[in-house]
């Protein structure tokens, strides 16, 4: 079942907050298990606008980091532009408090929302994730290629880590490498894997010479 099948329902019923905390518990427990196994991996968790506007959310996250013994720099919280713009001032307050904990913040699906550059430069974000709708066809569509190239340049000039979503073939991977994209994710690299299979895949990949951009 994909997120689109149940996340909107969770949003409407108010269950998105306990669902998000359950996902955080699972992610941080796995990060702790990987670290025990010698793999220093970060985990990323998508957070909805409801959580982003909850002033108690930073404390809940801090409590869980302490409970699982995971460093704040091992957690990436992904937010959307539309989530930020629901209440920009309140969202900035929550994001600032999360950033002060040492958590990395990422704008997911960049390019599909409503945020202005004025807000972008003020937010304590560390990463932009270019939406897959632009990346998928960038090798065949010059307009998509321009959007991706401009987003990479914008992110780099702002000192942000830039991730391209939806990398599904070697040509797109090659173009992203030439554009200096920081990292990539998509089926060309791997389909989603269970935790134990991911650990095996990563160790095998690390024995080879990694190509750039890196895997997100």
């Amino acid at each position: 079942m994909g997120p689109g099948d149940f996340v909107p329902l969770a949003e409407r019923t108010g269950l998105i907050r306990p669902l998000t905390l359950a996902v955080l518990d699972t992610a941080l427990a796995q990060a702790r298990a990987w670290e025990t196994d010698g793999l220093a991996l970060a985990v990323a968790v998508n957070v909805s606008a409801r959580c982003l506007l909850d002033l108690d959310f930073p404390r809940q996250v801090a409590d869980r980091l302490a409970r699982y013994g995971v460093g704040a720099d091992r957690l990436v919280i992904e937010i959307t532009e539309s989530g930020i713009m629901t209440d920009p001032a309140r969202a900035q307050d929550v994001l600032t408090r999360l950033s002060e904990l040492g958590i990395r913040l990422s704008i997911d699906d960049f390019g599909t929302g409503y945020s202005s550059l004025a807000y972008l430069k003020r937010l304590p974000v560390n990463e932009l994730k270019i939406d897959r709708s632009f990346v998928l066809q960038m090798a065949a569509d010059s307009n998509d290629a321009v959007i991706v190239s401009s987003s990479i340049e914008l992110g780099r000039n702002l000192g942000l880590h830039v991730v391209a979503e939806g990398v599904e073939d070697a040509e797109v991977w090659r173009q992203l490498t030439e554009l200096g994209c920081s990292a990539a994710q998509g089926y060309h690299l791997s389909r989603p894997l269970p935790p134990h299979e991911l650990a095996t895949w990563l160790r095998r990949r690390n024995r080879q010479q990694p190509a750039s951009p890196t895997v997100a």
Side-chain angles (χ1 to χ4, degrees):
M1 181 182 290
D5 296 328
F6 63 88
V7 168
L9 180 61
E11 291 271 14
R12 290 195 299 271
T13 59
L15 290 174
I16 194 66
R17 285 178 175 144
L19 176 61
T20 299
L21 295 178
V23 171
L24 269 170
D25 283 332
T26 302
L28 293 175
Q30 185 58 59
R32 176 75 264 175
W34 274 327
E35 188 166 350
T36 300
D37 198 32
L39 291 173
L41 299 178
V43 290
V45 175
N46 293 86
V47 171
S48 76
R50 283 181 180 268
C51 293
L52 191 57
L53 301 180
D54 183 354
L55 296 179
D56 196 41
F57 185 62
R59 181 196 61 78
Q60 294 172 326
V61 176
D63 288 348
R64 281 163 170 77
L65 288 170
R67 180 188 309 166
Y68 293 101
V70 175
D73 61 332
R74 296 286 170 81
L75 175 62
V76 181
I77 287 183
E78 298 188 4
I79 55 181
T80 62
E81 296 172 80
S82 56
I84 297 168
M85 298 308 291
T86 301
D87 186 337
R90 193 179 182 96
Q92 184 166 358
D93 182 17
V94 172
L95 291 175
T96 298
R97 290 164 60 195
L98 290 169
S99 178
E100 288 172 350
L101 292 172
I103 295 165
R104 291 187 286 156
L105 303 173
S106 174
I107 296 183
D108 195 18
D109 302 333
F110 182 72
T112 61
Y114 325 108
S115 69
S116 68
L117 294 181
Y119 275 110
L120 181 60
K121 74 176 184 179
R122 293 209 303 265
L123 294 171
V125 297
N126 311 96
E127 179 179 275
L128 295 182
K129 299 187 74 175
I130 305 172
D131 189 70
R132 69 191 308 273
S133 63
F134 304 119
V135 177
L136 276 172
Q137 299 298 323
M138 64 177 288
D141 188 317
S142 60
N143 290 328
D144 283 349
V146 169
I147 291 171
V148 172
S149 175
S150 299
S151 297
I152 293 172
E153 184 175 4
L154 171 66
R156 291 177 65 185
N157 287 340
L158 290 173
L160 303 177
H161 190 254
V162 182
V163 180
E165 301 177 303
V167 180
E168 298 194 357
D169 60 63
E171 177 56 23
V172 169
W173 173 271
R174 184 191 66 78
Q175 289 189 17
L176 290 169
T177 300
E178 291 182 351
L179 291 170
C181 189
S182 308
Q185 68 181 62
Y187 287 176
H188 177 64
L189 307 169
S190 174
R191 290 182 176 271
L193 298 170
H196 66 283
E197 291 185 21
L198 175 61
T200 300
W201 178 89
L202 186 61
R203 288 191 175 100
R204 183 173 63 248
R205 187 180 186 279
N206 285 345
R207 287 195 293 267
Q208 305 167 355
Q209 286 294 326
S212 179
T214 59
V215 179

